[in-house]
Amino acid sequence: MPQIDVYNQEANVVKSIELSDAVFGIEPNQQAIYDAVLVYQAGLRQGTHSTKTRAFVSGTGKKPFRQKGTGRARQGSTRATQWRGGAIAFGPLPRKYNLKMNRKVRRLALRSALSEKVAENNMTVIENLSFDEIKTKKAVALLNAFGFDRKTLFVADASEDFDNAYVSMRNIPNAMLVTVSSLNVYDIVNADKVVFTETAAARAGEVLA
């Protein structure tokens, strides 16, 4: 099992714990990670783009001039795509971009992304994220203590007291706090550092194994 140090909020090592080998110690499946990120990003697309075809463009359907004798190319309507004010040819129409992913593959992708962070030494475990008050300075001090100056993803368990920490981090551009249940592959891959609370690490080892 992977062994990892547990830090307090001052970045001092207080103990070591063993992580679940089935969640944090597998060989990362790059295809599963790629597919999970693709599904996540596709789900963000609204798909509300719309253009008007000839059936929806307003205007007359009258023939603009006679078929023969003018020397011009024959035209049946001024609503055709080649006319100013006409329709759009092959334009985008409202659609859903959602993709489906099997539950087993989604869990494999999560385990792969987490194992990759552990293998790269980009995962940290801290005792807790309990703040006495809502204070952005306190959250900044926590980041500075560990030297986290790039995108950092904090993961806590829903049973923990992290409300003050969540609000304190809300205004920090490079910090994000989520629960184990809302963890997704895109956030893990997008973060430079992933920080689990001790309880969250144990919980992830149970639910994702």
Side-chain angles (χ1 to χ4, degrees):
M1 287 188 175
Q3 193 92 5
I4 195 166
D5 291 332
V6 178
Y7 296 82
N8 58 20
Q9 292 186 19
E10 287 74 42
N12 298 317
V13 178
V14 290
K15 59 180 171 179
S16 293
I17 59 168
E18 287 188 346
L19 297 174
S20 170
D21 201 38
V23 176
F24 297 97
I26 69 167
E27 178 69 31
N29 187 311
Q30 297 300 330
Q31 186 63 50
I33 294 174
Y34 172 82
D35 290 342
V37 171
L38 195 69
V39 168
Y40 178 85
Q41 290 185 316
L44 294 178
R45 299 185 69 174
Q46 288 184 315
T48 53
H49 41 43
S50 183
T51 52
K52 290 185 177 181
T53 62
R54 290 181 67 163
F56 297 102
V57 148
S58 61
T60 180
K62 180 186 175 184
K63 195 171 175 66
F65 46 79
R66 62 199 176 103
Q67 179 86 342
K68 294 179 177 292
T70 64
R72 300 182 65 186
R74 57 192 176 185
Q75 301 290 336
S77 167
T78 56
R79 302 301 93 186
T81 57
Q82 70 270 24
W83 284 74
R84 184 177 181 277
I88 299 296
F90 309 117
L93 294 172
R95 56 166 287 197
K96 289 183 179 178
Y97 285 92
N98 297 348
L99 299 173
K100 289 185 178 179
M101 189 176 214
N102 291 339
R103 183 167 173 265
K104 282 185 178 179
V105 181
R106 189 164 59 245
R107 289 163 72 91
L108 172 62
L110 273 170
R111 295 198 301 268
S112 296
L114 290 171
S115 296
E116 197 167 61
K117 289 296 181 188
V118 173
E120 295 170 350
N121 291 320
N122 286 328
M123 180 173 153
T124 304
V125 177
I126 63 174
E127 284 184 304
N128 57 64
L129 281 171
S130 181
F131 285 13
D132 298 332
E133 56 183 339
I134 297 171
K135 203 82 173 173
T136 303
K137 281 184 180 179
K138 216 171 178 188
V140 171
L142 173 63
L143 289 167
N144 290 339
F146 285 92
F148 297 150
D149 55 353
R150 302 182 72 186
K151 290 179 183 174
T152 307
L153 176 68
F154 290 89
V155 185
D157 187 53
S159 62
E160 294 183 273
D161 175 24
F162 62 88
D163 292 346
N164 287 350
Y166 175 79
V167 180
S168 299
M169 290 180 187
R170 201 161 50 182
N171 285 336
I172 304 175
N174 61 341
M176 181 180 179
L177 175 56
V178 298
T179 60
V180 174
S181 57
S182 61
L183 196 60
N184 67 74
V185 175
Y186 177 81
D187 288 339
I188 298 170
V189 173
N190 189 45
D192 294 288
K193 298 287 183 181
V194 177
V195 182
F196 273 79
T197 63
E198 187 179 351
T199 306
R203 180 68 176 158
E206 293 171 7
V207 298
L208 296 176

